[in-house]
């Protein structure tokens, strides 16, 4: 996945790339050609840092509808010669998902584009998944022959087809083709389905990893073997220790946590932290001081999982440390601290923004903590994170925190959040946006009847509907 270049937050392109509600509002007042150019830029050059969890497709599809936007640029992108050279989902996935939403809204041109791409494009499986949710049986049956033609009629092609049918995200087309009146198609798909089921059964019968009767030493050796081949196995290995370790094994586990190989040390630290061992916190601190990078990371993660009062007390002592353990202590207090910890959490929040910027991973927890603890003084920092972060998920967390800390939220950011790309952010807005703004009333009405809107958002909208809002 490429690293997207995000434009400044004050520009139309930057707003649309971030999926902010203000992006839609600005686009609708900008010259149409400029708005469409910025929209196409986002759809054809996916701006998300994590395309698997951040939402943009419905947001962009709605803007295409509002602008009555043509799909020429999307078509050219999908059928460009580069489609053969770059088959990564990240090149075409967002465009295909946008087309799927547009097809749901009745855009026939989007449906036809999806059908053509499913028949001829490199990322055909994604297009087929979109069609599985939206196309009729006749449209899907027409794709059976071109899709099956992608798999040669030989043992290798049959094996690839079986794996594809087995792992299909949306099974509807394959089930339909298994009952196709054209016998060669139905026979081949049924055979692929049976082969895929048999392969899944075989894999389940060949489990790897620890076996009953393993010793503590065997678990540590397994974790180290994983470390040596680049696979972090200390988390499942720690779970194995729960099953195989007894009280008599504690000295060996403590030794591993102090000076064992990296795999054993990571495993022991995780096990001791999860079991709230009285020596766990001291061993975590020692590991951060003298451990390798994987050990430090495992130690910090283990500490953050600890739920005990002792862990929270230790976090208060560690919160001022200028290292990974200090940052973790701030997050622990954000999650489990009390009102007496507001200053420490606020300090951690400010330091993270100042030192790592508005996209720092640590901010996810700290922003939540600012809202949970109702830290009113955090509102300026939260507003900065909201405006500048490229992560729509982090922006949504900032919005929830602002709803709890900033009295101006209902008449400010909550209004634009009604157009945000994330449904959880729209839900927050639907519960808080001040209905004295005519734009809010109209937007709530539109969301209430939009068939593509999430149930949680529509439930929040209905909770706001009184006689004055429902009228009209």
């Amino acid at each position: 996945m490429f690293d997207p270049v995000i434009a400044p937050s004050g520009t139309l392109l930057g707003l649309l790339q971030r999926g902010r509600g203000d992006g839609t509002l600005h686009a609708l007042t900008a010259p149409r050609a400029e708005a469409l150019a910025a929209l196409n830029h986002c759809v054809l050059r996916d701006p998300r840092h994590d395309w698997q969890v951040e939402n943009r497709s419905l947001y962009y599809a709605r803007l295409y509808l509002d602008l009555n936007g043509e799909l020429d640029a999307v078509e050219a992108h999908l059928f460009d010669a580069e489609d053969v050279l770059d088959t990564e989902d990240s090149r075409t996935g967002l465009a295909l998902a946008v087309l799927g939403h547009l097809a749901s809204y009745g855009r026939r041109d989007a449906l036809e584009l999806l059908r053509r791409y499913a028949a001829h494009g490199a990322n055909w499986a994604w297009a087929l998944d979109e069609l599985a949710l939206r196309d009729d049986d006749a449209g899907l049956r027409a794709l059976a022959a071109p899709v099956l033609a992608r798999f040669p009629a030989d043992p290798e092609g049959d094996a690839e087809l079986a794996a594809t049918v087995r792992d299909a995200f949306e099974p509807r087309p394959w089930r339909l083709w298994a009952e196709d009146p054209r016998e060669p198609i139905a026979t081949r798909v049924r055979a692929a389905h049976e082969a895929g089921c048999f392969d899944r059964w075989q894999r389940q019968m060949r489990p790897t990893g620890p076996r009953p009767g393993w010793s503590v030493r065997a678990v540590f050796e397994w974790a180290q073997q994983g470390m040596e081949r680049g696979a972090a196995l200390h988390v499942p290995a720690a779970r194995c220790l729960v099953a195989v370790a007894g009280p008599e094994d504690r000295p060996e586990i403590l030794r591993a946590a102090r000076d064992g190989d990296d795999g054993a040390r990571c495993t022991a630290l995780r096990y001791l932290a999860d079991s709230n061992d009285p020596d766990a916190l001291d061993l975590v601190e020692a590991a951060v001081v003298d451990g390798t990078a994987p050990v430090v990371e495992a130690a910090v993660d283990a500490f953050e999982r600890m739920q005990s009062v002792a862990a929270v007390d230790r976090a208060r002592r560690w919160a001022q440390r200028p290292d990974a353990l200090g940052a973790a202590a701030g997050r622990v207090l954000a999650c489990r601290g009390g009102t007496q910890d507001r200053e420490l959490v606020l300090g951690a929040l400010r330091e993270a923004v100042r030192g790592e910027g508005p996209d720092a991973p640590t901010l996810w927890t700290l922003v939540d903590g600012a809202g949970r603890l109702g830290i009113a003084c955090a509102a300026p920092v939260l507003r900065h994170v909201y405006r500048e972060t490229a992560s729509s998920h982090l922006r949504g967390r900032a919005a929830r925190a602002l709803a709890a800390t900033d009295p101006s939220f209902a008449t400010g950011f909550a209004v634009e959040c009604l157009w945000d790309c994330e449904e959880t952010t729209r839900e927050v807005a639907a519960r808080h946006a001040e209905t004295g703004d005519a734009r809010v009333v109209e937007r709530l009405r539109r969301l209430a009847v939009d068939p593509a809107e999430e149930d949680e958002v529509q439930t929040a909208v209905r909770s706001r509907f009184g006689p004055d809002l429902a009228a009209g």
Side-chain angles (χ1 to χ4, degrees), residues 48 54-62 93-94 97-98 101 421:
R48 295 169 293 180
E54 292 190 55
N55 296 313
R56 292 291 188 281
S57 54
L58 179 59
Y59 172 84
Y60 293 141
R62 284 171 167 169
L94 178 57
V98 169
H101 284 299
C421 67

Side-chain angles (χ1 to χ4, degrees), residues 146-277:
V147 168
L148 292 179
R150 295 175 179 275
F151 302 93
D154 56 29
E156 185 176 342
D158 289 341
E160 184 181 356
L161 176 60
T164 300
V165 174
R166 181 195 68 213
D167 299 333
F169 190 72
E170 292 292 344
R172 180 184 164 220
W174 302 102
R175 291 174 180 168
L176 193 66
W177 298 341
E179 304 299 327
D180 197 282
R182 294 164 291 184
E183 191 58 31
I185 288 175
T187 299
R188 193 172 188 206
V189 173
R190 283 198 296 266
H193 177 71
E194 291 171 1
C197 291
F198 181 70
D199 179 63
R200 184 181 292 112
W201 175 79
Q202 282 188 313
R203 288 190 297 171
Q204 290 171 345
M205 295 298 290
R206 294 193 303 266
T208 60
R211 301 286 195 279
W214 270 32
S215 65
V216 167
R217 182 174 299 279
V219 172
F220 284 153
E221 290 174 353
W222 178 64
Q224 182 60 26
Q225 290 166 8
M227 185 76 69
E228 290 170 356
R229 63 175 186 268
L233 298 177
H234 64 277
V235 174
R239 289 198 295 266
C240 291
L241 282 186
V242 174
V244 305
E248 70 280 2
D249 296 305
R250 184 171 180 269
E252 181 179 359
I253 296 173
L254 292 175
R255 285 194 300 272
R258 281 191 293 268
D259 53 21
D261 291 338
D262 282 2
R265 195 173 187 186
C266 293
T267 300
L269 288 167
R270 179 67 170 236
Y271 169 80
L272 294 169
D274 284 355
S275 57
N276 284 317
D277 187 279

Side-chain angles (χ1 to χ4, degrees), residues 304 329-338 345 365-366 368-369 372-373:
E304 286 193 62
R331 294 191 293 271
V332 167
L333 295 177
C335 291
R336 293 183 281 282
V345 174
T365 304
L366 295 175
D368 286 349
R372 183 182 73 84
L373 296 172

Side-chain angles (χ1 to χ4, degrees), residues 3-4 6-7 9 18 47-49 54 56 349 352-364 367 384-395:
D3 189 24
I6 305 298
S9 61
R18 288 169 172 80
R48 295 169 293 180
H49 283 282
E54 292 190 55
R56 292 291 188 281
L349 176 64
V353 173
R354 183 164 48 243
E356 301 179 59
D359 291 312
T362 190
L363 287 175
W364 291 51
V367 163
H384 173 75
V385 172
Y386 178 96
R387 292 189 189 97
E388 300 300 328
T389 182
S391 166
S392 53
H393 274 224
L394 178 55
R395 182 177 64 252

Side-chain angles (χ1 to χ4, degrees), residues 447-463:
L447 292 176
V449 298
D450 190 331
E453 190 50 80
E454 297 291 334
D455 291 342
E456 291 80 1
V457 177
Q458 294 190 325
T459 298
V461 170
R462 286 192 292 270
S463 74

